Amino acid sequence: MSMTALAGDERLPLYQRLAEVLRRDVMEGVRRPGDRMPSETALSAEYGLAPGTVRQALSALVDDGLLERFHGRGTFVRRPSFDRSLFRFFRFRDASGEWRIPESRILKRSVEPAPSHIARQLRIKDGEPAISMSRLRLLNEAPVLAEEIWLPKARFGAFLDLSESAIGPLLYPVYDAQCGQLVARAEETLTAEPASRETARLLRIDTGAPVIVIDRLAKGFDDTPLEWRRSKGRADQFHYHTEIR
Amino acid sequence: MSMTALAGDERLPLYQRLAEVLRRDVMEGVRRPGDRMPSETALSAEYGLAPGTVRQALSALVDDGLLERFHGRGTFVRRPSFDRSLFRFFRFRDASGEWRIPESRILKRSVEPAPSHIARQLRIKDGEPAISMSRLRLLNEAPVLAEEIWLPKARFGAFLDLSESAIGPLLYPVYDAQCGQLVARAEETLTAEPASRETARLLRIDTGAPVIVIDRLAKGFDDTPLEWRRSKGRADQFHYHTEIR
DNA sequence: GACATATAGTCCTATAGAGAACCAGATTGC
DNA sequence: GCAATCTGGTTCTCTATAGGACTATATGTC
């Protein structure tokens, strides 16, 4: 029954201060994705707050996507999932109409000095060593995405030792397991451009045909940029849908 | 002090039932955008609920974008604004770098039987009379968007009587004032395609150059489709940015 | 008239408590 | 062994109350 004092700016409401304390726990890795949070009653005892106040703090973090609540089971640190990525608006279905993860063929993997525009994104020094990778993503032998990926070598050195067969189509689990780098969120930018001769060859379309370009900067819980990625796919396979009001 | 009984499924929580009642008021036009809702204490007296319960109901509607709260002033029916539209990702700035609403030049306005794909979207009968319009949107004499617009004639007959000068660049206020049709929300779909010869001529780009296509279906509070619109702009002026997690 | 002050109305924060709904695992009964 | 039941723990709903914080308007003061 040791009551912990609540840190933070005294002028801020209690529920916000509690939320910040809990958020910090997650950002610093004290609590990891999948962990169960203390129960609402436990937290209210711990910090000497009314249950309603604790609940308000948790609600804020749930709205933020940091936590996940399950009636009767508990409140958990959310495992980041990228279901909301722009990629899901590519119509990638196999013959049976099912959604599938495209397989991956690595075309190139090497260490190079980071070009300045990459370095700026990854927040490393210009020319610092980085891992550069080209991948082709395929569905039933048909190419659907051409990808260019950059990683800071300082964090991802272990990635170089892996054989291609050990990598598979999904990279983030590999980053976590092999390099201890956990992706928490990402920023994505969508543009369209005419296919270069090289891109056209990879995607087997005409040079100059429109391609959708998605740039993604993936970040850790502490906001460190971890991976920069540029993916190109056929524009005629893409349509993004949203509701506004 | 007449206490109103709360309609709706008895198994649902009270705050949800109250939220649905209030939502219906807005959808049926009992309360219009800009109106102030009764205060939380007034509602709690009216329905015989604790203030906390009422607040929970209002919060749900605020999250939903239907209401808007102002500390110390009140809770209001939100005026739909389309700041979140995909259009804001076009880099349309004038010479001084300021964001401006592009002016509008109407190229064509006529009544035609609705083609089937339009009729389906507007939920009217195939071939039913509809208003068809082509517009060019310009910034400093430079064309930036080519638009094709369809309206169901049954609702928008009054729109035909207006002179072009009376219309201006923003249509939704005109729909409201002249035709009594209030747009509450919209669905937008983004694709990219090579410019047709016609589109290329309007936008003054090369035929086959990539253009961003945004289809929008605007709906009323009661979910009736009101306007279908297809807008095309230069792909090299567009980039959509979002965060995911 | 200009500016400070009071006041009423609003949403916002926080407390305290009770019971319902739900879930997982242990126990019981057969 | 298997199924039903119980039990403890969790989140969820709802009540009731009190005071703080903010806004707009009215009032007073100079």
Side-chain angles (χ1 to χ4, degrees), chain B residues 13-15 48-51 53 56 71-73:
Chain B
L14 290 173
Y15 78 92
L49 299 173
T53 307
Q56 207 174 348
H71 190 174
R73 283 209 293 136

Side-chain angles (χ1 to χ4, degrees), chain B residues 38-82:
Chain B
S39 74
E40 297 180 352
T41 44
L43 284 172
S44 83
E46 166 86 358
Y47 290 95
L49 299 173
T53 307
V54 169
R55 193 168 165 73
Q56 207 174 348
L58 292 176
S59 297
L61 296 175
V62 169
D63 291 346
D64 222 55
L66 199 74
L67 301 182
E68 209 170 1
R69 273 206 271 234
F70 298 95
H71 190 174
R73 283 209 293 136
T75 304
F76 298 79
V77 180
R78 184 165 159 273
R79 289 197 166 77
S81 84
F82 290 72

Side-chain angles (χ1 to χ4, degrees), chain A residues 63-102:
Chain A
D63 290 348
D64 221 53
L66 200 74
L67 302 182
E68 208 170 1
R69 273 206 272 231
F70 298 96
H71 189 173
R73 283 208 297 136
T75 304
F76 298 80
V77 180
R78 182 162 161 274
R79 290 197 164 78
S81 84
F82 290 72
D83 306 343
R84 316 273 322 166
S85 165
L86 293 173
F87 287 109
R88 75 192 155 110
F89 296 99
F90 277 107
R91 278 208 222 86
F92 292 156
R93 309 182 186 284
D94 62 5
S96 67
E98 277 303 292
W99 168 267
R100 275 184 31 212
I101 296 171

